[in-house]
Amino acid sequence: MSRINTLLLSGANNHDWARSTPYVKELLEASGRFAVTVTEDPATVLADAAALAQYQLLFSDYNGPEWSGAARANFAAAVRGGTGLVILHAADNAFPGWTEYEQMVGLLWREGTGHGDFHEFLVRIVDPEHPITRGLG
């Protein structure tokens, strides 16, 4: 089985990208299904359409300064052309007003949104043998 060439976009975020990015890379590669390249300078990498063409998946842990017009156009063209896109948590905060990005992401953190109050809640496990719940109490 060939591995999915993945470009992990990082380098800026309002969350701890310096910890999350290496963890995501390790997690993806440990599955045996992904070959991951990390960039902490996505604006530069994305500006090169030819280099971008080698990736089947863009995984964003990025929420920082706006990218150049070329980087944005190449990113959008890649996704339109079938390159997969995964947005990790706060990466949905990125690029307010870039309508095409907002449509790709679908659910965004924008003005007026926020975390709800912390509270206890009951979790009922209905399938204790499911891979996600197996071994949980």
Side-chain angles (χ1 to χ4, degrees):
M1 171 172 68
S2 63
R3 296 187 305 161
I4 299 166
N5 287 330
T6 302
L7 180 59
L8 179 49
L9 310 171
S10 189
N13 203 309
N14 60 311
H15 286 61
D16 190 357
W17 63 268
R19 279 187 35 203
S20 59
T21 293
Y23 178 77
V24 168
K25 181 181 191 301
E26 179 183 330
L27 188 67
L28 290 172
E29 289 182 337
S31 75
R33 300 196 61 210
F34 301 89
V36 180
T37 301
V38 174
T39 179
E40 293 181 8
D41 185 12
T44 299
V45 175
L46 294 170
D48 183 351
L52 185 58
Q54 68 183 300
Y55 299 104
Q56 288 102 18
L57 175 63
L58 302 173
F59 192 119
S60 184
D61 189 14
Y62 181 85
N63 179 21
E66 296 275 335
W67 298 332
S68 69
R72 288 167 47 150
N74 291 339
F75 178 87
V79 173
R80 270 194 313 275
T83 301
L85 176 61
V86 173
I87 302 295
L88 179 63
H89 189 56
D92 73 340
N93 299 352
F95 314 122
W98 179 14
T99 304
E100 194 167 19
Y101 180 82
E102 293 173 342
Q103 290 171 340
M104 285 184 257
V105 174
L107 184 61
L108 303 120
W109 185 288
R110 292 295 185 246
E111 188 175 332
T113 60
H115 292 289
D117 293 333
F118 288 97
H119 60 277
E120 290 186 21
F121 55 92
L122 179 64
V123 175
R124 289 192 181 100
I125 297 175
V126 296
D127 183 356
E129 295 307 312
H130 188 280
I132 292 174
T133 57
R134 188 178 302 129
L136 294 178

